[in-house]
Amino acid sequence: ILNVEQSPQSLHVQEGDSTNFTCSFPSSNFYALHWYRWETAKSPEALFVMTLNGDEKKKGRISATLNTKEGYSYLYIKGSQPEDSATYLCASANAGNNRKLIWGLGTSLAVNP
Amino acid sequence: NAGVTQTPKFRILKIGQSMTLQCTQDMNHNYMYWYRQDPGMGLKLIYYSVGAGITDKGEVPNGYNVSRSTTEDFPLRLELAAPSQTSVYFCASSNTEAFFGQGTRLTVV
């Protein structure tokens, strides 16, 4: 994998459902994996930055895992709420230039009340 | 704490005009970035800076210039605006996670 790929592209769930998305990134020369939440008409906001294989991070109902050897990360949302509706972006940095993030296209989540 | 302040929020330019998008951060971050975001596309890096006096091209630098004379400021200059530069522009700064400005919606007609 040369680019950062996210799936699914979009997702519609009912309030209370739990859901998860995938981010695939280049595993060679890995440095860090970022997750951001981007609400319509706002700017992206950081959720997690992960660097170590096996990392698991949690913020409220949202959590993320990281597998650097196979090049993927999962973002989980437990008990989705309408306010979770947003686009979730991931971005990876490699050790060659760890300040240049390569961004995925995002997963657009809509939570229906 | 203002974070990243980006101005203007909206602008309409005529082809061939020039303008500067301003970006200021008050978090003493070393790293600053300019991105553009087009419909259906991800964030594309235009230019970035790892510290005052140092700038580097990103993925789509053509038609833009930047400067970083201070840690706080990272303006983006469009010299001869073209319709292809119609986009939403975001400035960001970081030491670890990135903090974004509010965005500038630019239309070139």
Side-chain angles (χ1 to χ4, degrees):
Chain A
I1 295 176
L2 298 178
N3 295 315
V4 174
E5 297 171 0
Q6 292 187 246
S7 62
Q9 184 176 348
S10 64
L11 197 53
H12 288 76
V13 300
Q14 290 298 125
E15 183 175 354
D17 287 350
S18 293
T19 187
N20 65 85
F21 334 127
T22 304
C23 173
S24 301
F25 55 87
S27 56
S28 62
N29 224 15
F30 171 83
Y31 182 79
L33 192 283
H34 295 225
W35 279 102
Y36 291 80
R37 181 170 178 272
W38 193 355
E39 291 181 71
T40 302
K42 294 188 177 180
S43 302
E45 292 183 351
L47 288 171
F48 307 112
V49 178
M50 297 185 287
T51 57
L52 298 176
N53 185 45
D55 252 357
E56 289 188 31
K57 295 211 171 181
K58 188 174 180 182
K59 185 181 287 188
R61 294 177 292 98
I62 304 177
S63 60
T65 61
L66 180 67
N67 182 323
T68 63
K69 297 188 177 185
E70 296 181 44
Y72 65 84
S73 175
Y74 294 133
L75 187 80
Y76 300 92
I77 302 179
K78 185 177 178 182
S80 302
Q81 299 297 307
E83 57 265 31
D84 295 329
S85 297
T87 295
Y88 291 83
L89 296 173
C90 72
S92 91
N94 69 50
N97 187 338
N98 61 54
R99 295 307 169 181
K100 282 177 69 173
L101 292 174
I102 307 299
W103 295 83
L105 295 181
T107 292
S108 175
L109 173 67
V111 182
N112 301 317
Chain B
N1 190 342
V4 179
T5 302
Q6 183 183 337
T7 59
K9 287 184 76 172
F10 304 95
R11 184 73 186 267
I12 299 174
L13 279 182
K14 292 185 179 178
I15 294 171
Q17 286 186 318
S18 62
M19 76 164 294
T20 299
L21 282 68
Q22 301 291 344
C23 179
T24 298
Q25 53 95 5
D26 63 358
M27 296 172 281
N28 203 32
H29 286 166
N30 290 320
Y31 310 100
M32 295 189 75
Y33 311 84
W34 275 105
Y35 293 96
R36 59 179 287 172
Q37 199 252 338
D38 300 306
M41 307 289 286
L43 289 166
K44 297 294 184 185
L45 183 64
I46 305 171
Y47 270 95
Y48 69 105
S49 168
V50 300
I54 305 169
T55 61
D56 271 301
K57 294 179 180 179
E59 302 167 81
V60 290
N62 292 343
Y64 307 95
N65 278 299
V66 293
S67 59
R68 185 95 183 270
S69 56
T70 66
T71 299
E72 294 78 19
D73 300 308
F74 191 42
L76 177 73
R77 179 84 177 159
L78 283 72
E79 289 294 349
L80 289 170
S84 60
Q85 293 177 304
T86 294
S87 189
V88 181
Y89 292 83
F90 287 96
C91 176
S93 73
S94 76
N95 275 347
T96 51
E97 75 262 38
F99 292 81
F100 285 80
Q102 61 187 355
T104 297
R105 185 172 295 275
L106 175 66
T107 303
V108 183
V109 296

